[in-house]
Amino acid sequence: MTATTQRFLVRDSLAVASLIAITVVLFAVTLFLFRSFEAHRASLAKYWANQGLAALRANQAPKAVAAYRTALAYAPGERNDEFMLAEALGEAGRIDESFNYFTGLWQSRPGDGLINLEMARLAAKQANTQDAINFYRAAIDGTWEVDAIDRRRTARLELARYLIQRRELVQAKTELLIAGGNAPDIPELDVTLGGLLEQANDPADALTYYQKAVRDRPRDADALAAAGRVAYNLGKYSQARGWLGRAVQEHPDNGKLAALLAQSERILQLVPGENLRVRERVNRILAARTIAKQRMSGCPAVTGDLTARWAGPDATASASALLNDPDRQKAVLQLAYDTEIAASQRCGAPTGDDALLLLLARSSRRTEETNHQ
């Protein structure tokens, strides 16, 4: 090989090496610039997403919509930002847009519990009742990334509230009892279930949950008051007195509780329970007759059959006549009860002992109707 050839080879090798070096440097610079650009885009996307979240927390939904749209321009397809944009649209009152956006998310993940929950809320706002119920049930049965049991229970409670709002009380009661059956013993949750069951016209089961709350938190004034109030309305006056007494101890300045406690104590003095000694029962029946007679005297609108009965033997029977005559006891008591019911219908709501006697009268009538069913 000649010296000239060797010089050409060396020169070409240096040229190739230079080109390779330049290519590597350019690639490194390009990669660096690309990564810097991507990092900058990611940073901007995060910034605008944070701006959107801050706007939502400040109840500035339109501003949040704009921020999340900007975030998605920098990071297209970011699932969390898409979700938050859909939520922001709903908060901004753009219900149809929000629903359409969530529909797109739902189509890609139809089993996602959170997406179904949002769809249920939007369907409810659109007055699409059956769709709302279906989405709520899908949320309850769907997948959740964290705290699945608690989130499913929360979704079920929300469904129950929606059903109560729709006055579909039987379905609401069913959902609440399912939620309560799978729930841990948490007093706050028991009080919530009790309140919702009351709204679903199920005071008996509501009382069960209030009792649980009181058992686990004996000095919880709210739970004690709720238990006492519901027990009173159910005619469980002895239990009501106990819970209300404890509630008043915790809140001695609560006038409504003190008044309800006083009513519980007074009604227990009036109740002519069949478990009482005969003489005590008779005395209470006669006391009820005296109260009802005064009510009759002040309500001339009550006429007809009741007027005739007040002129008959039941209106004048003595204690000695009643002692050994259970049928006569029932007849005299029924006269008092019927008078209070008729007077309340024709002369307005009673007060004092008349109001308490009316409670006993209505309770007795409900018991009779139940026994005859």
Side-chain angles (χ1 to χ4, degrees):
M1 181 180 297
T2 63
T4 301
T5 302
Q6 288 180 339
R7 284 197 300 273
F8 278 118
L9 287 175
V10 170
R11 186 183 63 186
D12 289 345
S13 298
L14 289 172
V16 169
S18 297
L19 288 173
I20 292 173
I22 291 170
T23 301
V24 169
V25 170
L26 289 175
F27 176 79
V29 170
T30 301
L31 182 62
F32 172 77
L33 292 174
F34 176 78
R35 288 181 174 176
S36 296
F37 176 71
E38 287 298 308
H40 185 58
R41 285 175 63 91
S43 177
L44 287 172
K46 185 176 181 180
Y47 169 80
W48 284 108
N50 288 337
Q51 291 293 106
L53 182 59
L56 274 180
R57 289 174 175 173
N59 295 319
Q60 297 175 335
K63 185 177 179 180
V65 170
Y68 280 117
R69 288 197 188 281
T70 304
L72 286 167
Y74 287 113
E78 178 62 37
R79 180 176 175 274
N80 187 64
D81 291 345
E82 289 180 334
F83 182 93
M84 295 303 295
L85 172 58
E87 185 173 325
L89 286 166
E91 292 293 324
R94 296 157 67 173
I95 305 301
D96 291 340
E97 288 181 72
S98 179
F99 189 85
N100 291 335
Y101 216 104
F102 270 119
T103 299
L105 296 173
W106 178 83
Q107 288 173 343
S108 63
R109 300 188 65 172
D112 187 292
L114 186 55
I115 293 175
N116 276 288
L117 182 59
E118 293 293 341
M119 295 281 280
R121 292 167 175 168
L122 290 168
K125 290 180 180 179
Q126 293 172 319
N128 295 328
T129 303
Q130 193 55 54
D131 285 347
I133 292 173
N134 291 340
F135 281 123
Y136 271 123
R137 297 199 187 285
I140 293 167
D141 296 331
T143 57
W144 296 83
E145 294 180 359
V146 293
D147 300 328
I149 294 176
D150 291 341
R151 289 178 177 271
R152 289 186 181 115
R153 184 187 309 111
T154 299
R156 193 181 294 278
L157 291 177
E158 190 170 321
L159 169 58
R161 289 187 178 93
Y162 179 67
L163 292 169
I164 289 170
Q165 178 186 340
R166 300 287 306 171
R167 304 307 297 167
E168 297 180 29
L169 301 184
V170 174
Q171 292 185 53
K173 172 185 172 181
T174 299
E175 297 298 337
L176 290 168
L177 292 178
I178 292 173
N182 298 328
D185 289 332
I186 301 174
E188 293 85 358
L189 178 58
D190 289 331
V191 170
T192 296
L193 286 166
L196 290 172
L197 283 163
E198 279 194 83
Q199 295 178 46
N201 197 28
D202 184 12
D205 283 314
L207 181 57
T208 298
Y209 284 97
Y210 288 141
Q211 284 179 284
K212 286 177 61 180
V214 169
R215 179 198 65 198
D216 295 333
R217 193 171 290 172
R219 299 190 63 181
D220 187 323
D222 292 336
L224 287 165
R229 173 178 48 76
V230 174
Y232 181 90
N233 292 335
L234 288 171
K236 300 177 182 291
Y237 302 112
S238 181
Q239 288 178 296
R241 178 180 59 182
W243 285 317
L244 290 169
R246 290 161 59 187
V248 169
Q249 287 179 351
E250 299 299 325
H251 278 304
D253 57 341
N254 190 314
K256 290 184 178 180
L257 283 180
L260 192 57
L261 172 60
Q263 291 175 8
S264 300
E265 292 172 337
R266 177 56 181 157
I267 206 168
L268 285 171
Q269 296 171 354
L270 294 174
V271 175
E274 295 184 0
N275 60 329
L276 295 172
R277 292 181 179 180
V278 176
R279 184 167 295 279
E280 176 62 21
R281 173 174 163 78
V282 168
N283 288 340
R284 294 190 181 196
I285 290 172
L286 293 176
R289 187 178 67 182
T290 299
I291 295 167
K293 184 177 182 180
Q294 292 176 346
R295 175 69 161 154
M296 179 77 175
S297 299
C299 184
V302 176
T303 58
D305 176 63
L306 274 174
T307 300
R309 288 167 65 186
W310 276 105
D314 292 339
T316 58
S318 64
S320 59
L322 297 182
L323 283 174
N324 298 312
D325 192 342
D327 290 337
R328 179 58 64 82
Q329 294 172 22
K330 291 180 181 178
V332 172
L333 183 60
Q334 195 60 52
L335 173 61
Y337 284 168
D338 290 346
T339 300
E340 291 291 352
I341 290 173
S344 70
Q345 295 169 345
R346 299 178 188 180
C347 294
T351 59
D353 284 348
D354 286 302
L356 301 180
L357 196 57
L358 178 61
L359 283 178
L360 295 177
R362 288 173 172 167
S363 177
S364 175
R365 177 171 289 186
R366 285 194 299 269
T367 301
E368 284 187 13
E369 290 173 351
T370 302
N371 291 337
H372 289 151
Q373 288 178 354

